[in-house]
Amino acid sequence: MATSTSQQLDGRSALVTGGGRGIGRGISMILASRGAEVCVSDIDMAGAEQVAAEINEGGGNAFAAGGNVTDLESISEVAQNAIDKFGKLDICVPNAGVLGGSDFMSRKDYNDRDWDLTWDVNVRGVVNTCDAVVGHMTERKYGKIVIIASHGGREPRGVPDAGRGNVQGPYMVSKAAAIQWTHWLAMNVGQFNINVNAVCPGRLWTPMWQAIAQNHKELNPELADMSIRDIFELQIKGTMPLGREQTPEDIGRVVSFLASDDASEITGQALNVNGGAIMN
Ligand SMILES: NC(=O)c1ccc[n+]([C@@H]2O[C@H](COP(=O)([O-])OP(=O)(O)OC[C@H]3O[C@@H](n4cnc5c(N)ncnc54)[C@H](O)[C@@H]3O)[C@@H](O)[C@H]2O)c1
């Protein structure tokens, strides 16, 4: 009996939003390495094209698509494109996310723009992406949706205390909403053999955490002489029992498991992949 899991997703097709860099790139690469065909979608088309090219150069099968998750029509077009190209869509990973407004780094307090953006991308964007694929998955009575939330949606935590500023408030609330959406959708589409789960990453050195570390540096005078990478490592050492950061590929491997039939009895769950920083 074959025991290899390397082709766990052979014959499956996947859509990953925000696939052009960071965690979305790692997820796309891992899904492809496990045999899935991947539509790498991102509002940043150049990033999506680069990731799709890397997958194809490595012998996988991917194509790049634009797509703004805040616009149902836009992300529905991407999903339809993937269905047309692959003949079906088995896996959907709503991963695209934002921290807040672009001047987030230098601010202590949130503003309306942070609330609007995190709602539009992290909540409505996730809902739109699910809405774009659920009809197709319902018809086929098969689907795996893996939403990328955050352990911050469970419990905001950090060392030194990021709570000296409120700027991350909207982000944390949006991620809690994404987890609740996971529960709600799982309850409604389980009857169609669609599994809906969330992965809650901890801390990864992507542009998103680089912005958070910069924010910590600007808010906390005692961190002024540290590099943003050292601030990030301080957070890791101070909060993670495993004492190390997560990588995009770590997240991709867990997404791959939840998207596989090995996880067919798991639905409505939010799984922390955070080195044990928050244990619930
Ligand atoms: N980095 C971390 O430590 C961390 C921790 C927990 C959760 N997360 C979550 O993981 C996901 C990916 O994070 P990341 O660190 O790779 O972030 P990132 O900022 O590096 O990448 C986000 C990607 O999403 C894309 N995007 C943004 N708005 C979009 C839109 N409207 N439509 C389509 N694409 C859009 C961006 O172009 C970018 O490619 C996010 O949902 C984030 O909240 C990250």
Side-chain angles (χ1 to χ4, degrees), residues 44-256:
D44 168 21
M45 185 61 173
E49 276 172 346
Q50 196 176 325
V51 173
E54 274 181 74
I55 290 173
N56 291 327
E57 279 157 22
N61 182 13
F63 79 96
N68 179 349
V69 298
T70 67
D71 176 357
L72 177 60
E73 207 175 306
S74 168
I75 197 63
S76 297
E77 232 172 75
V78 170
Q80 192 55 52
N81 200 357
I83 292 164
D84 293 345
K85 279 214 162 65
F86 299 141
K88 64 187 169 69
L89 195 57
D90 303 293
I91 300 163
C92 176
V93 187
N95 161 77
V98 293
L99 270 175
S102 53
D103 60 342
F104 171 94
M105 277 88 88
S106 55
R107 278 188 286 113
K108 186 166 185 245
D109 292 311
Y110 52 70
N111 61 26
D112 286 349
R113 179 105 182 105
D114 295 326
W115 285 109
D116 291 346
L117 258 179
T118 53
W119 176 260
D120 286 350
V121 181
N122 302 355
V123 187
R124 286 304 302 273
V126 167
V127 172
N128 286 339
T129 306
C130 294
D131 284 349
V133 302
V134 156
H136 172 74
M137 290 179 170
T138 299
E139 266 176 34
R140 292 186 63 235
K141 297 227 171 358
Y142 187 91
K144 310 281 186 187
I145 297 176
V146 187
I147 291 164
I148 305 306
S150 169
H151 73 170
R154 287 258 167 76
E155 187 184 323
R157 198 183 273 189
V159 179
D161 185 6
R164 286 177 199 197
N166 290 319
V167 72
Q168 281 198 61
Y171 176 81
M172 302 297 181
V173 171
S174 73
K175 291 297 179 177
I179 293 170
Q180 187 64 352
W181 166 255
T182 302
H183 298 154
W184 191 90
L185 186 62
M187 193 180 71
N188 282 287
V189 299
Q191 60 186 311
F192 304 114
N193 191 32
I194 302 172
N195 299 62
V196 187
N197 291 291
V199 169
C200 299
R203 295 191 170 92
L204 293 91
W205 190 238
T206 67
M208 184 172 278
W209 232 98
Q210 288 156 18
I212 297 171
Q214 184 64 39
N215 181 253
H216 288 198
K217 186 178 167 82
E218 293 187 23
L219 293 190
N220 297 290
E222 67 271 30
L223 303 179
D225 294 334
M226 287 175 76
S227 71
I228 57 169
R229 175 68 204 184
D230 285 345
I231 292 169
F232 174 72
E233 286 176 12
L234 191 65
Q235 290 272 349
I236 301 296
K237 299 265 161 8
T239 60
M240 292 189 170
L242 287 178
R244 56 181 181 250
E245 68 200 84
Q246 290 76 57
T247 67
E249 291 73 23
D250 290 330
I251 307 305
R253 279 185 283 274
V254 176
V255 169
S256 171

Side-chain angles (χ1 to χ4, degrees), residues 35-49:
E37 301 175 304
V38 185
C39 169
V40 183
S41 168
D42 203 297
I43 200 168
D44 168 21
M45 185 61 173
E49 276 172 346

